[in-house]
Amino acid sequence: MALKCGIVGLPNVGKSTLFNCLSNAKAQSANFPFCTIEPNVGVISVPDDRLTKLVEMCSPRSTVPATVEIVDIAGLVRGASKGEGLGNKFLANIRETDAILHVLRCFDDDNITHVDTTVDPVRDMEVINYELQIKDLETVEARIAKTEKAAKSGGDKAAKTQLAVLMQYKDALEKGLPARSVEVEGKEEQRFARELFLLTNKPVLYVCNVDDAAAVSGNDYVDRVREAIKDTGSSLLIVAAKTESEIAELDTWEERKEFLNEIGLEESGVSRLIRAAYALLDLQTYFTAGPDEVRAWTFLRGTKAPQAAGIIHTDFEKGFIRAEVIKYDDFVTFGSETAVKEAGKMAVEGKEYVVCDGDIMHFRFNV
């Protein structure tokens, strides 16, 4: 299951600096690579100490981490919904992502020009949110025009259902609220809502780009952003992109750890950002572990065992018999799969088992 996050923001807020930090970040192990697909797209491994520990214990021939795809989307400008700047291209790039990392400038620097002359992250946030909402409203109104006639004729029940959803979105967007503020009930309604691919229906993580002095606790700008988003359901992360660029240049994990300790951080903002991006869509990880391979598999919270097995191969789901499950902590405590079995700590689960984050799993199937 691939997760694609788009980095968005006004020009000169630190988007590309942050993307470059992600691309240059040297993880603890060579098993955690960064791969550039295009000049502005990268596949980045999700830092996970559990995977590192399993590799140490199993000494596998190969290791496969969970990954996140990051897209550096060109700076948006006021009027993008009407075609200003890159306009529709920018908006199309966002539409292709699963989640949005919204970078806000929360630092003062006379050497870096702001497009609106002054630093105001809340205003900047509202500019982008407005442009996305306007584009979504255009999308919704266009669908209403197509759907309304069929719904009013009385014979098309699906059209009536769709029109009700569209009117909910229209009402919210006209009030300046994002589409994700609308609670859509019913399976058919939710399916239709997903098919609209509304820009403001995507989960958002606000990334406050601060200077070195604010890297640990933030500053007044960050406090203003936190207050502005407190009722939106979105999260906030503090990152000092300039500091992260210095960390990314260091050659060894020990050097990076020492640097972080000096500025009062337990881990880099890049690592926190990657994990936050992974969690933004409520994703979790289960593992398969053995001498051939240790691998992290991404699944949506609440997934049951057969569907989790299907992530590995569709045959695993079709012929699912049972799942043999070891809790990560038990595996570490007892030291091996054999020892876990001898201690009676391996569970045998059926089709209704809901997979937990960190489970180590073996699937039995018959096709």
Side-chain angles (χ1 to χ4, degrees):
M1 180 183 291
L3 168 63
K4 190 174 185 179
C5 291
I7 301 180
V8 307
L10 294 177
N12 297 335
V13 298
K15 300 184 312 303
S16 294
T17 300
L18 190 59
F19 180 82
N20 290 336
C21 291
L22 291 166
S23 67
N24 291 327
K26 302 176 181 69
Q28 293 184 43
S29 168
N31 290 320
F32 305 135
F34 171 90
C35 173
T36 301
I37 302 174
E38 298 173 13
N40 64 337
V41 180
V43 177
I44 305 165
S45 295
V46 179
D48 194 326
D49 291 339
R50 298 171 302 180
L51 182 66
T52 304
K53 182 65 177 179
L54 291 175
V55 170
E56 290 176 0
M57 295 177 67
C58 298
S59 300
R61 283 183 277 276
S62 69
T63 305
V64 183
T67 59
V68 177
E69 188 171 307
I70 304 290
V71 186
D72 181 20
I73 297 173
L76 177 148
V77 297
R78 197 185 301 271
S81 59
K82 304 301 180 184
E84 295 296 327
L86 290 179
N88 291 330
K89 184 172 187 286
F90 172 93
L91 297 167
N93 288 338
I94 297 176
R95 201 178 299 280
E96 293 171 0
T97 66
D98 301 299
I100 296 172
L101 307 179
H102 189 156
V103 181
L104 298 168
R105 176 173 170 175
C106 294
F107 65 89
D108 293 307
D109 189 333
D110 293 337
N111 295 317
I112 302 177
T113 303
H114 192 287
V115 292
D116 284 327
T117 69
T118 59
V119 177
D120 186 342
V122 174
R123 177 203 59 209
D124 296 351
M125 175 180 65
E126 291 173 348
V127 166
I128 288 187
N129 288 345
Y130 174 79
E131 296 298 335
L132 300 185
Q133 287 166 13
I134 288 296
K135 200 64 183 178
D136 277 350
L137 186 56
E138 290 178 5
T139 299
V140 168
E141 288 178 336
R143 289 298 295 266
I144 288 174
K146 291 181 179 180
T147 308
E148 205 164 21
K149 185 176 180 180
K152 288 182 176 179
S153 67
D156 193 334
K157 291 184 179 180
K160 284 186 176 181
T161 299
Q162 293 172 5
L163 183 61
V165 173
L166 290 166
M167 295 307 293
Q168 281 183 278
Y169 281 134
K170 184 175 185 291
D171 182 58
L173 291 164
E174 287 180 337
K175 292 177 180 176
L177 299 172
R180 60 182 167 274
S181 68
V182 176
E183 293 186 12
V184 178
E185 297 181 357
K187 290 185 177 180
E188 285 302 310
E189 289 86 345
Q190 291 171 355
R191 180 189 59 77
F192 174 66
R194 288 192 296 271
E195 291 173 355
L196 291 172
F197 295 104
L198 296 179
L199 301 170
T200 63
N201 228 356
K202 300 177 185 298
V204 177
L205 173 68
Y206 290 99
V207 182
C208 292
N209 183 18
V210 301
D211 55 23
D212 294 357
V216 177
S217 57
N219 55 27
D220 289 341
Y221 290 133
V222 174
D223 292 340
R224 287 161 58 187
V225 174
R226 187 177 285 112
E227 177 66 22
I229 69 170
K230 67 178 182 180
D231 297 323
T232 66
S234 297
S235 301
L236 178 149
L237 186 72
I238 300 171
V239 173
K242 184 178 178 182
T243 301
E244 295 296 322
S245 65
E246 295 173 5
I247 294 172
E249 292 300 319
L250 299 176
D251 292 325
T252 67
W253 171 247
E254 288 73 20
E255 288 176 316
R256 295 194 298 281
K257 190 67 176 176
E258 183 178 350
F259 186 104
L260 289 168
N261 289 337
E262 288 177 359
I263 62 176
L265 291 174
E266 293 185 4
E267 64 176 339
S268 73
V270 164
S271 293
R272 288 184 288 114
L273 176 59
I274 297 170
R275 277 206 305 276
Y278 185 73
L280 198 54
L281 286 180
D282 213 13
L283 298 176
Q284 297 183 323
T285 302
Y286 75 81
F287 302 97
T288 51
D292 290 329
E293 179 184 81
V294 169
R295 182 164 183 158
W297 299 90
T298 300
F299 67 96
L300 186 66
R301 183 194 297 271
T303 297
K304 293 183 178 181
Q307 288 70 49
I311 295 170
I312 298 177
H313 196 286
T314 54
D315 284 350
F316 283 30
E317 181 176 357
K318 290 176 183 176
F320 179 87
I321 299 174
R322 65 180 183 272
E324 297 172 353
V325 184
I326 299 173
K327 297 302 179 183
Y328 170 80
D329 287 344
D330 288 336
F331 192 90
V332 173
T333 298
F334 293 99
S336 69
E337 181 177 327
T338 300
V340 170
K341 289 179 179 178
E342 290 175 351
K345 291 291 186 178
M346 188 182 78
V348 177
E349 304 287 358
K351 293 182 178 180
E352 295 304 310
Y353 176 70
V354 177
V355 180
C356 297
D357 186 48
D359 280 353
I360 300 168
M361 306 190 74
H362 291 291
F363 298 105
R364 302 298 180 185
F365 69 101
N366 182 29
V367 177

